[in-house]
Amino acid sequence: MKYRVLGLLSVMLLHSGLTLAQTGKAGKPDTDKNGTRHKTPAANEVPVAAPKQDIVIIPSWLPPDNPVQPAATVVTNVLDTKLDVRFDWAKQWLLGTATLTLRPHFYPQSQVVLDAKGFEVKSVRLLVNGKEKNLTYAYDKQKLTITLDRSYPRTEAYQVRVSYVAKPNELPASGSAAITSNKGLYFINPLGTDKTKPRQIWTQGETEANSAWFPTIDKPNQRMTQEIALTVEDKFRTISNGLLISSRKNADGTRTDVWKQVLPAAPYLTMLAVGEFAVVSDTWRGKAVEYFVDPPYSTTAKAVFGHTPEMLEFFSTKLGVEFPWEKYAQVAVHDFVSGAMENTTASTFQDKLTQFTPRELLDITYEPESVVAHELFHQWFGDYVTSESWSNLPLNEAFADYSEFLWAEHKYGSAEAALVQQKALTAYLEESQTKREPLIRYHYADREDMFDRHSYSKGGRVLHMLRQYVGDEAFFASLNRYLTRNKLSSVEIAELRLAFEEVTGEDLMWFFDQWFLKRGHPELQITHSYTGNQVALRVRQVQDSTFSPIYQLPVTVTTWVNNQPVNHRITVTKADQTFALPVSQRPALVKFDATGQLLAEIEEERSTEELLYQFYHAQNFLQKYEAITLLRSKT
């Protein structure tokens, strides 16, 4: 998923405010826990000094305590879902029949509990040898608890058919900053009274909203194949997951399209869209690549989406895993509740992100193209391999975020990629002033809290650091191992670490622990001096180590002498550390983190004398510019 961040990002970083908290409570009577009052010392007695109370400095960015959020316990597996749906536009209802193929995960089960939000349940039946048998059930408008005809072992699948009416508009309104509504199914201009937008129906399943329009076990650690029959007015086009396997016209002027996806995916990735779309067609390696847009934008669709075949080729080659799904469609819809969504084989986009007139195309930035890359990369990271819980969301979103860098690097070069990197780094550092969380968060108040700049921007930068540390060949070999070993399954962060360790042969717990499982980032103060053909480089980690770690930081320091750079590879492991760097003479420039890959706030402290030396002995404009900028800041 790509959610939109509005407004310009501030580059100025402010120090976090601090709040004081004390252990012990003021005004507590001088009694012990048993209620015994201690005597007051006489005037001639020397009072014993009271023990000092510890003072804990709590940063303003420290989040409140939140409950633990484990992965959902898998009691029953949803193996396959077949839906037969039609729509009541006036009432904004979905009239549906769902046939679910289910199987106990391990222990025998005599009931199954399905997520089904805001339904009117008509009937629940068991299918046995082509015959239907009524089942008893209980329903509280959120959970449908079905009593089976007997206990089923894990070796035996069974089928349940639920007839229902989904009424998403009757659900309590809810949403988040990233996903502004969670009613699952949306009717846009249903009566056609708004002449500024078309009539459309579309769905949005992430995080757990698809159970507002079909019964399922709405958790990311489920996987199912699916078939959806959509009955609509003949003038409408439909789009859903997988391939269109049949389309028939009905006597009442409607048409029924049947979409089938043969590879299993998580329930939240199921989608449908209905509207009077224009379809612009492309292909890649014999697979259909299609762009669904409003008819007025059919002539500009390829200007926005047209790099998709090239992206498919690049990502497939880079990962060594060919795009695994049957087709890839992208559909622009009105009033979408987020930026875009990576439904398996059919991503949905906010219309304002992807539909432009020829004149508007002249002014667009990299953002629309980056969103196309982002959602496409999810087809591997998030769809093919899925995070088992929302706590592990960066296994989806950090990779999708990093794909924006990868595509810019491939297509437009290092300068454009560096700009993508800098914007993302600034986005995270800006957010870090008010909150700092581990990337992998097993404690949160709401699962949609995970959709923040940590999971996206910080996660992408951490992956880039990992790439720089292990090298390109090992990085992409590790991603290949991760994808092939865990294909069509759900994972947690340990699977990614193990893939990298098996490829590189190195224990990388230190990297994954400090960057994925701990909060915050390094805050570094760097000073250096020159004496006797040696640069003494002092690195201090000044972040609050009570609430964030002292980091292990492999980093490159470059010294420039006679316009020749020399790289020195060092590893910072302590809060205060000094390194001796050999040089032949006083360097014109000493550059910490020369490749600019480190996720940190870095303050390089240099004396006026050092900066003047750099300015007068600079070998190129960049060195002079840096020196004069820092000199101006001192004066």
Side-chain angles (χ1 to χ4, degrees):
M1 169 163 284
K2 181 77 171 181
Y3 70 94
R4 302 201 71 180
V5 178
L6 301 178
L8 295 174
L9 299 174
S10 171
V11 178
M12 185 64 69
L13 300 174
L14 303 177
H15 291 291
S16 300
L18 300 177
T19 305
L20 295 180
Q22 289 192 164
T23 61
K25 298 181 180 178
K28 185 176 180 180
D30 55 344
T31 57
D32 62 22
K33 65 182 179 181
N34 297 315
T36 304
R37 182 172 294 278
H38 301 289
K39 70 174 184 177
T40 301
N44 61 349
E45 290 181 341
V46 178
V48 178
K52 282 187 176 181
Q53 292 180 329
D54 293 333
I55 296 178
V56 179
I57 300 175
I58 301 178
S60 60
W61 47 255
L62 188 70
D65 289 335
N66 286 311
V68 65
Q69 304 286 358
T73 299
V74 181
V75 176
T76 299
N77 292 297
V78 182
L79 304 180
D80 181 70
T81 298
K82 289 183 172 59
L83 301 177
D84 189 344
V85 303
R86 62 185 64 229
F87 306 96
D88 185 325
W89 288 80
K91 295 178 179 178
Q92 300 183 50
W93 291 353
L94 178 147
L95 315 176
T97 300
T99 303
L100 308 181
T101 303
L102 307 158
R103 185 176 62 208
H105 181 72
F106 187 84
Y107 301 104
Q109 300 295 324
S110 58
Q111 73 170 24
V112 61
V113 180
L114 302 177
D115 296 298
K117 302 184 180 81
F119 289 3
E120 178 186 337
V121 178
K122 298 290 190 179
S123 65
V124 179
R125 297 184 176 92
L126 183 73
L127 274 63
V128 181
N129 298 324
K131 296 181 180 180
E132 297 187 8
K133 177 181 180 180
N134 285 327
L135 295 174
T136 59
Y137 62 90
Y139 181 53
D140 64 1
K141 292 296 183 179
Q142 293 289 316
K143 301 283 187 180
L144 178 61
T145 302
I146 302 169
T147 301
L148 302 173
D149 62 331
R150 58 182 172 85
S151 180
Y152 285 81
R154 64 179 178 269
T155 56
E156 186 176 359
Y158 58 92
Q159 286 189 315
V160 170
R161 178 168 290 166
V162 181
S163 295
Y164 65 98
V165 179
K167 303 177 180 181
N169 286 353
E170 297 179 21
L171 291 169
S174 183
S176 67
I179 309 169
T180 58
S181 174
N182 66 353
K183 65 183 184 179
L185 176 70
Y186 300 82
F187 289 78
I188 306 303
N189 193 21
L191 302 180
T193 54
D194 186 343
K195 303 305 178 185
T196 66
K197 64 180 68 172
R199 295 172 70 206
Q200 290 181 346
I201 299 170
W202 47 262
T203 62
Q204 164 52 33
E206 196 171 36
T207 49
E208 297 173 10
N210 270 344
S211 49
W213 64 277
F214 68 92
T216 189
I217 300 177
D218 207 353
K219 299 297 178 184
N221 56 357
Q222 291 283 339
R223 292 192 88 85
M224 65 187 194
T225 55
Q226 64 180 62
E227 183 178 301
I228 302 180
L230 293 165
T231 299
V232 298
E233 296 171 55
D234 192 39
K235 66 179 180 178
F236 289 120
R237 289 184 182 270
T238 69
I239 179 66
S240 188
N241 312 83
L243 296 177
L244 182 65
I245 62 171
S246 70
S247 182
R248 72 171 188 275
K249 291 188 177 183
N250 304 314
D252 61 358
T254 63
R255 190 185 74 256
T256 300
D257 293 344
V258 180
W259 294 86
K260 184 178 180 66
Q261 181 174 283
V262 298
L263 295 178
Y268 78 90
L269 297 168
T270 296
M271 69 82 68
L272 63 81
V274 177
E276 296 183 73
F277 299 110
V279 181
V280 179
S281 297
D282 250 334
T283 60
W284 174 79
R285 295 191 186 180
K287 293 184 177 182
V289 177
E290 296 177 324
Y291 321 127
F292 287 65
V293 295
D294 292 346
Y297 299 99
S298 61
T299 57
T300 57
K302 279 199 174 183
V304 177
F305 295 111
H307 289 304
T308 302
E310 187 180 352
M311 290 179 181
L312 282 161
E313 187 65 32
F314 170 63
F315 291 144
S316 294
T317 302
K318 201 74 173 172
L319 296 170
V321 177
E322 184 175 323
F323 176 77
W325 307 100
E326 297 99 322
K327 65 111 180 354
Y328 189 57
Q330 296 165 95
V331 54
V333 300
H334 287 256
D335 301 341
F336 195 52
V337 294
S338 191
M341 178 62 203
E342 67 274 11
N343 315 296
T344 311
T345 77
S347 293
T348 311
F349 294 78
Q350 185 184 108
D351 67 305
K352 291 181 175 59
L353 268 178
T354 51
Q355 296 193 151
F356 302 99
T357 65
R359 172 60 188 86
E360 290 168 337
L361 284 174
L362 299 176
D363 298 324
I364 65 171
T365 64
Y366 178 61
E367 184 182 13
E369 192 173 339
S370 74
V371 177
V372 171
H374 181 112
E375 303 309 326
L376 176 57
F377 211 60
H378 266 310
Q379 301 294 313
W380 287 268
F381 295 91
D383 295 8
Y384 194 53
V385 177
T386 308
S387 59
E388 69 168 12
S389 65
W390 302 114
S391 296
N392 283 271
L393 182 69
L395 291 174
N396 297 358
E397 296 300 347
F399 278 103
D401 183 274
Y402 191 48
S403 75
E404 301 172 33
F405 175 91
L406 290 174
W407 176 249
E409 181 183 51
H410 166 75
K411 184 68 176 176
Y412 302 109
S414 58
E416 181 67 28
L419 181 59
V420 173
Q421 186 91 318
Q422 185 58 48
K423 286 181 177 179
L425 176 60
T426 303
Y428 160 69
L429 290 175
E430 184 183 64
E431 183 177 77
S432 75
Q433 302 311 301
T434 55
K435 103 176 187 183
R436 297 186 190 182
E437 296 270 20
L439 283 182
I440 306 300
R441 264 166 273 173
Y442 292 105
H443 295 262
Y444 54 77
D446 186 279
R447 57 183 174 263
E448 290 185 13
D449 295 344
M450 292 294 302
F451 292 83
D452 60 8
R453 299 180 194 179
H454 283 62
S455 292
Y456 288 71
S457 302
K458 181 182 180 181
R461 309 297 62 76
V462 168
L463 290 174
H464 189 63
M465 284 192 296
L466 183 56
R467 177 186 172 191
Q468 295 300 307
Y469 178 73
V470 302
D472 269 25
E473 184 179 3
F475 182 77
F476 290 105
S478 299
L479 298 190
N480 176 275
R481 182 175 293 246
Y482 170 77
L483 290 170
T484 53
R485 172 174 292 176
N486 301 297
K487 64 181 180 181
L488 302 174
S489 69
S490 56
V491 294
E492 59 178 325
I493 188 63
E495 271 88 3
L496 183 66
R497 175 177 60 81
L498 289 171
F500 273 86
E501 290 182 343
E502 289 164 5
V503 167
T504 63
E506 179 180 349
D507 187 332
L508 291 168
M509 178 59 82
W510 65 270
F511 185 96
F512 281 78
D513 180 63
Q514 70 184 19
W515 288 115
F516 285 96
L517 300 175
K518 299 287 179 66
R519 63 169 56 90
H521 56 269
E523 297 174 31
L524 306 178
Q525 288 184 355
I526 314 296
T527 58
H528 68 268
S529 59
Y530 169 74
T531 306
N533 293 337
Q534 185 172 277
V535 170
L537 181 78
R538 185 183 182 190
V539 183
R540 288 187 293 158
Q541 298 193 44
V542 299
Q543 69 272 11
D544 188 336
S545 59
T546 304
F547 301 102
S548 55
I550 295 298
Y551 288 82
Q552 178 175 328
L553 304 172
V555 66
T556 299
V557 180
T558 301
T559 53
W560 288 75
V561 175
N562 295 327
N563 206 28
Q564 294 298 316
V566 176
N567 290 332
H568 309 262
R569 191 70 172 168
I570 65 172
T571 300
V572 180
T573 58
K574 300 176 183 177
D576 193 340
Q577 207 165 354
T578 300
F579 300 88
L581 311 178
V583 291
S584 60
Q585 63 185 63
R586 179 190 290 272
L589 176 66
V590 177
K591 186 66 175 174
F592 185 82
D593 187 26
T595 55
Q597 312 301 346
L598 189 62
L599 174 56
E601 293 179 83
I602 300 173
E603 179 185 345
E604 292 191 66
E605 297 179 0
R606 304 185 208 170
S607 68
T608 301
E609 180 186 27
E610 289 173 317
L611 293 170
L612 285 170
Y613 182 90
Q614 178 184 326
F615 178 76
Y616 288 114
H617 293 80
Q619 303 295 324
N620 57 48
F621 174 77
L622 178 61
Q623 294 172 15
K624 281 188 179 290
Y625 179 79
E626 179 180 46
I628 198 65
T629 300
L630 292 172
L631 279 167
R632 284 173 176 166
S633 70
K634 285 182 174 289
T635 58

